[in-house]
Amino acid sequence: MAPEPWLTIVGVGEDGPRGLAPASRDVLARAELVFGAPRHLALFPELAAETVPWPVPFADGIPQLLAARGRRTAMLASGDPFWCGAGSTLARRLEAGEWRALPGPSSFSLAAARLGWPLERTLCLGLHAAPLTRLRPHLVPGRRAILLLRDGPAVAALAVWLTETGFGASALTVLEALAGPRERIRRTTAAAYALEPVHPVAVALEVAGSGATLHAAAGQADDAFEHDGQITKRPVRAITLSSLAPRAGERLWDIGAGSGSVAIEWLLAAADTEATAIEADPARAARIRRNADALGADRLAILEGRAPETLPDAPPDAVFIGGGLGEALLTALWDRLPAGTRLVANAVTLESEALLTRWQAAAGGTLLRIALSEAAPLGPHRGWRSAYPVTQWSVTR
């Protein structure tokens, strides 16, 4: 028979002991040590166990918890510890048999129950430690979201940001201390926000307004990105993203990233994706950071330098070469990339087109010539203005 785990993560709500299942009460009654945030411990004044307040920042408490290994230990966590909670952070540092979890209702579930919203059709985001711009791709009129925020000032900052982004008409429902004696629910709009909420707080958002929206397909408008002209233009970018074929959980290297548009759209395309932009120009690298932060792709990593000398350690699932294309780079990548990596390179000059033609003949893959024209004034009439054609090589290593 397997030994009982020494650590139990107990999900608690604002109602304290009254909201616990019998199994959770039993764990706390038998525990030698109970860890928890001060506000959680305050809900359990009758505990017989030694209590240890969890410090801020959260990571500072982990060594103390691990030092209790072998003693019957409980940790109090908000609601469901594995939905925007502490559970996954702790589980990564423990063996499977060392811990178990007894979750309670999540703040998302409690908020949806108060509002009557179907949770499966509601965006749920934990923004305790994430920038508000993580919301940017989801700002579409009519969209509903439940957001977990750090405190009252964070709610005020959300209202200001929504208003500045053109969505001041969005309805905000501020839900405080759900399921506890201090529960309070108030409604306002982002533009009219003047509340002083308490912690903990959830905000239900119903998006409304005339701000610019991002669409779900590849190929955002060029003016969604700050750039100096070095940007993969919208139609070519859409084709490039289609060739890169982002999938959930995959990692991209964007070499010679320019404005970062391809890497940013990769991150917006699928869940849990990762991307690194490699850019030699410091001004462009700073611009990439601003674009990523503004468009909700703050997870983008940026390496300042020139490939192949500067490349990430973690292997990619896909690589895009938008700048710096050359024989040495292709050779270095071909030698380094693991089998199955997708590589897409775009060329504009005759020399780089010839390079891709040679590599395609030797390594396979497909060559695509993208020639685009746009209607433009021509005297009193209109004519077609052609862009430089782009040659694209797509290959799987």
Side-chain angles (χ1 to χ4, degrees):
M1 182 175 178
E4 182 178 342
W6 64 269
L7 173 65
T8 302
I9 306 170
V10 179
V12 299
E14 287 288 311
D15 50 358
R18 290 184 297 118
L20 292 183
S24 297
R25 291 197 197 99
D26 181 62
V27 164
L28 294 177
R30 295 188 300 110
E32 300 174 50
L33 279 173
V34 177
F35 288 79
R39 69 181 182 85
H40 288 147
L41 294 175
L43 297 171
F44 296 86
E46 305 300 323
L47 284 174
E50 177 187 349
T51 59
V52 183
W54 198 274
V56 177
F58 182 85
D60 289 353
I62 294 176
Q64 279 184 285
L65 179 68
L66 296 181
R69 185 180 268 116
R71 302 178 66 183
R72 284 198 305 274
T73 303
M75 178 180 173
L76 304 178
S78 295
D80 184 343
F82 287 88
W83 197 352
C84 298
S88 58
T89 302
L90 297 176
R92 286 196 299 268
R93 293 164 169 82
L94 298 166
E95 299 296 327
E98 291 189 273
W99 64 273
R100 61 174 173 166
L102 300 174
S106 70
S107 296
F108 297 119
S109 296
L110 291 171
R114 299 299 187 273
L115 298 163
W117 289 6
L119 203 54
E120 74 277 6
R121 297 204 298 272
T122 302
L123 173 69
C124 296
L125 286 178
L127 298 178
H128 298 92
L132 295 174
T133 52
R134 189 74 60 85
L135 262 176
R136 185 66 184 84
H138 308 290
L139 291 183
V140 178
R143 187 76 190 270
R144 285 176 167 178
I146 298 173
L147 315 173
L148 303 187
L149 297 172
R150 184 178 59 254
D151 50 26
V155 184
L158 170 67
V160 170
W161 179 74
L162 287 169
T163 302
E164 291 176 344
T165 312
F167 294 95
S170 298
L172 300 181
T173 303
V174 181
L175 306 106
E176 305 165 44
L178 289 173
R182 298 179 300 146
E183 178 175 312
R184 181 167 59 173
I185 299 175
R186 292 178 288 174
R187 293 174 174 84
T188 183
T189 64
Y193 184 84
L195 306 179
E196 295 182 358
V198 297
H199 182 79
V201 65
V203 175
L205 168 67
E206 296 174 89
V207 180
S210 57
T213 59
L214 302 179
H215 53 72
Q220 303 293 334
D222 292 345
D223 59 11
F225 302 90
E226 179 188 345
H227 63 89
D228 60 1
Q230 293 299 310
I231 182 173
T232 302
K233 299 298 191 296
R234 181 187 60 81
V236 177
R237 190 180 336 118
I239 295 171
T240 298
L241 266 294
S242 176
S243 299
L244 288 167
R247 301 176 179 92
E250 291 191 326
R251 180 183 297 114
L252 171 74
W253 292 355
D254 182 356
I255 297 175
S259 67
S261 61
V262 170
I264 289 169
E265 291 215 39
W266 168 279
L267 290 171
L268 298 179
D272 300 320
T273 47
E274 299 178 28
T276 300
I278 299 98
E279 174 54 56
D281 186 309
R284 288 179 180 166
R287 189 176 294 117
I288 293 170
R289 179 78 279 150
R290 293 194 295 272
N291 281 331
D293 291 345
L295 296 174
D298 55 280
R299 305 185 312 281
L300 179 64
I302 300 172
L303 285 181
E304 192 174 312
R306 192 176 302 278
E309 295 79 15
T310 302
L311 287 172
D313 294 326
D317 300 285
V319 176
F320 172 57
I321 306 175
L325 179 64
E327 182 74 43
L329 175 58
L330 285 176
T331 300
L333 287 173
W334 204 254
D335 291 342
R336 175 170 176 167
L337 295 178
T341 304
R342 305 185 297 279
L343 174 67
V344 176
N346 288 353
V348 176
T349 68
L350 292 173
E351 291 78 6
S352 56
E353 181 182 87
L355 175 67
L356 295 185
T357 302
R358 291 199 306 275
W359 272 82
Q360 190 270 340
T366 60
L367 279 177
L368 177 68
R369 195 164 192 262
I370 307 167
L372 299 169
S373 299
E374 186 175 7
L378 184 62
H381 306 289
R382 292 181 301 160
W384 291 109
R385 182 175 59 197
S386 298
Y388 285 115
V390 175
T391 299
Q392 183 179 97
W393 179 44
S394 303
V395 66
T396 298
R397 174 71 172 90

